[in-house]
Amino acid sequence: MEKLVITGKTPLKGEVVISGAKNAAVAIIPATLLINGTCTIENLPNISDVRLYCDILTEIGAKITWNSEHEITIDTRNIDCNNIPIETTRKFRASYYLLGSLLGRCKSAKVGIPGGCNLGARPIDQHIKSFEALGANVDVSGGNIVAKAKKLKGTSIYMDVVSVGATINAMLAAVLAEGQTIIDNAAKEPHIVDVANFLNTMGADIRGAGTDIIKINGVKELKGGATYSVVPDQIEAGTFMLAAIASKGDITIRNCITKHLESIIAKVVEIGGNVYENGDYCRVWYTRRTHKATIKTLPYPGFPTDLQPQMGVVLAISEGTSVINESIWDSRFQYTAELNKMGAKITAQGKSAVFEGVHELSAAPVYASDLRAGAALIMAGIAAKGKTEVYNLHHIDRGYENIEEKFRKLGAKIERVIEE
Ligand code: UD1
């Protein structure tokens, strides 16, 4: 079993370069299935979810060439839509994008009901509703989702909840549909804009991504032939920003889009941290003990749920009593029990948690329950007194490229160790 061993109380110092966004990459890779040609994708994060998705596309018949550690060329001319590795699709949440892509390209798709982070109930009714509105029949049975259509026809889709995945899936299915599709109450996350930009670069006609109304004029074919660079990961950037504050450090974050970080920057400044932002980089530094805050997670541009556990670490050691209200996922406070093992005073109940700030955390063996919880525990280990051991690294490796290397370059004392 692998674990990270972290000797804490090291203020992070120096520069970190942010990778391409995980959540954009895991949508853009399946989106290439809509192309009858080749395309090149740059700035891909080298993480296990990306490698797994590339394996799935290879099984479907795409030819993938790794040009470098962060760049692939994909040829999707000769895919076989019936050759989806169902068992592999169960392993991660973003496999649901195969439904929209293959429905669009082949008018038929079958995937296993997706797994992924254990954050509570993760319904996909809005995805299904969107496919059905476009003219598909969708059957969920035997642990699989099967979508089929004779043809897909543009329509109006109103999302009952703001959903990143359903918005992207509706976009994917509508790109090659006949006529215009309008998605109302769409999610506005940066990776939605990124997927739309990617598809438009390959020949699609999508307008309004990044607002709550997206209009897609169906085109006959996506020919590809272009190169696209994945947007920087705002969640990774936010993780380092909060780690700088938790560790009492001073770091510069390169290759980020500070516009995407506004809700996080606002909270860091509100609690007493310092941020200098300049478009594609920012400096974050600690000068005095941070203080309490009230946080409610919301769809973009609100405070992201994917930074809630990392913010929880900062509030656990900030002065005063803070409250976090998690409005997206039912079960996102599992990390608080681990922080309490490290001396935090957090009471979590349902979708709220109360953080009674303590002066410092102390080392303990802790277990990541999911991807972002794992990042939060690493941050806690760097801030804490003593030697913290973080287990369940497979969650963290799904979404952070070389996380220990990046923290080590900032001065953290962190080693990956194989335990017998
Ligand atoms: C994506 C992100 C995930 C992030 C989440 C919220 C990816 C691969 N994952 O997940 O990291 O935490 O956005 O920012 O991009 N819902 C429904 N019905 C649906 C779909 C969603 O009720 O059909 C609800 C969910 O239960 C949740 C909310 O809508 O309460 C938001 O979920 P959604 O935006 O769809 O999350 P994901 O796309 O799965």
Side-chain angles (χ1 to χ4, degrees):
M1 198 198 312
E2 283 188 329
K3 64 180 176 184
L4 288 174
V5 179
I6 305 164
T7 308
K9 285 241 155 260
T10 326
L12 298 177
K13 297 255 160 73
E15 289 195 359
V16 61
V17 181
I18 297 307
S19 300
K22 164 194 170 278
N23 287 346
V26 297
I28 287 173
I29 294 169
T32 64
L33 291 167
L34 287 161
I35 301 169
N36 190 9
T38 63
C39 67
T40 296
I41 307 168
E42 300 173 336
N43 200 35
L44 270 180
N46 194 345
I47 52 177
S48 68
D49 267 9
V50 161
R51 292 190 293 272
L52 190 60
Y53 231 137
C54 287
D55 291 347
I56 291 178
L57 258 67
T58 303
E59 291 223 29
I60 297 174
K63 286 208 179 85
I64 300 186
T65 313
W66 284 87
N67 305 322
S68 71
E69 204 190 337
H70 299 114
E71 184 186 307
I72 55 173
T73 297
I74 308 191
D75 179 348
T76 41
R77 277 174 297 185
N78 296 313
I79 58 166
D80 176 356
C81 295
N82 296 316
N83 214 11
I84 303 169
I86 304 290
E87 282 314 314
T88 318
T89 62
R90 290 188 212 289
K91 289 191 188 157
F92 68 133
R93 179 84 184 154
S95 62
Y96 54 34
Y97 292 135
L98 291 170
L99 287 168
S101 302
L102 291 177
L103 194 56
R105 173 88 181 265
C106 314
K107 308 289 172 282
S108 125
K110 179 177 176 181
V111 303
I113 291 178
C117 276
N118 172 25
L119 308 175
R122 298 190 79 164
I124 53 164
D125 54 300
Q126 299 304 304
H127 302 239
I128 293 172
K129 167 181 147 166
S130 306
F131 300 145
E132 287 177 340
L134 287 160
N137 282 315
V138 184
D139 178 51
V140 183
S141 57
N144 299 320
I145 308 162
V146 182
K148 280 195 173 121
K150 284 207 174 75
K151 76 170 182 182
L152 295 173
K153 207 162 176 305
T155 186
S156 286
I157 301 167
Y158 183 85
M159 296 289 174
D160 301 321
V161 290
V162 179
S163 159
V164 172
T167 301
I168 291 179
N169 243 338
M171 230 161 55
L172 294 171
V175 159
L176 299 176
E178 194 184 293
Q180 188 179 66
T181 299
I182 299 175
I183 307 172
D184 203 340
N185 200 24
K188 297 181 278 208
E189 268 70 0
H191 42 290
I192 291 183
V193 180
D194 209 39
V195 177
N197 287 344
F198 166 75
L199 290 166
N200 285 343
T201 305
M202 302 300 152
D205 182 356
I206 304 172
R207 294 152 200 224
T211 75
D212 51 17
I213 297 186
I214 301 177
K215 291 186 180 162
I216 303 139
N217 294 310
V219 295
K220 288 223 151 42
E221 197 181 28
L222 297 189
K223 287 205 167 69
T227 296
Y228 189 79
S229 186
V230 176
V231 71
D233 196 317
Q234 92 267 27
I235 302 299
E236 189 195 11
T239 301
F240 280 103
M241 198 173 256
L242 294 166
I245 297 298
S247 72
K248 306 184 178 174
D250 181 347
I251 70 169
T252 298
I253 300 171
R254 301 265 176 210
N255 189 37
C256 62
I257 299 175
T258 55
K259 172 92 185 89
H260 295 165
L261 295 165
E262 274 173 355
S263 63
I264 303 116
I265 292 173
K267 275 295 164 193
V268 168
V269 171
E270 181 188 312
I271 61 174
N274 308 284
V275 181
Y276 169 78
E277 48 175 312
N278 195 344
D280 64 352
Y281 78 93
C282 60
R283 179 184 160 213
V284 187
W285 72 104
Y286 175 98
T287 39
R288 61 196 157 96
R289 189 171 181 216
T290 46
H291 55 78
K292 66 177 176 143
T294 302
I295 309 264
K296 182 173 184 178
T297 62
L298 287 169
Y300 187 84
F303 193 92
T305 173
D306 286 355
L307 284 172
Q308 188 261 98
Q310 300 89 317
M311 189 72 197
V313 174
V314 174
L315 296 181
I317 48 175
S318 293
E319 192 181 345
T321 302
S322 300
V323 177
I324 298 184
N325 192 309
E326 169 59 56
S327 80
I328 311 288
W329 301 119
D330 294 334
S331 187
R332 199 152 212 180
F333 284 119
Q334 295 171 65
Y335 73 92
T336 59
E338 302 305 294
L339 289 187
N340 284 347
K341 288 186 200 164
M342 300 177 75
K345 287 191 181 156
I346 309 167
T347 312
Q349 198 167 37
K351 289 170 91 169
S352 297
V354 176
F355 295 70
E356 213 183 299
V358 296
H359 272 277
E360 91 181 336
L361 297 174
S362 53
V366 285
Y367 293 80
S369 53
D370 62 74
L371 169 61
R372 308 302 173 185
L377 295 178
I378 296 176
M379 281 173 56
I382 293 169
K385 185 175 66 182
K387 231 175 222 189
T388 296
E389 293 167 330
V390 181
Y391 291 90
N392 287 349
L393 304 188
H394 60 282
H395 288 303
I396 303 168
D397 294 337
R398 282 188 42 229
Y400 286 93
E401 176 173 335
N402 275 337
I403 192 162
E404 69 262 33
E405 187 56 36
K406 287 190 182 184
F407 274 122
R408 221 176 357 249
K409 276 196 183 142
L410 293 170
K413 295 183 186 118
I414 173 168
E415 295 297 333
R416 189 176 286 243
V417 173
I418 298 176
E419 197 175 63
E420 290 300 313

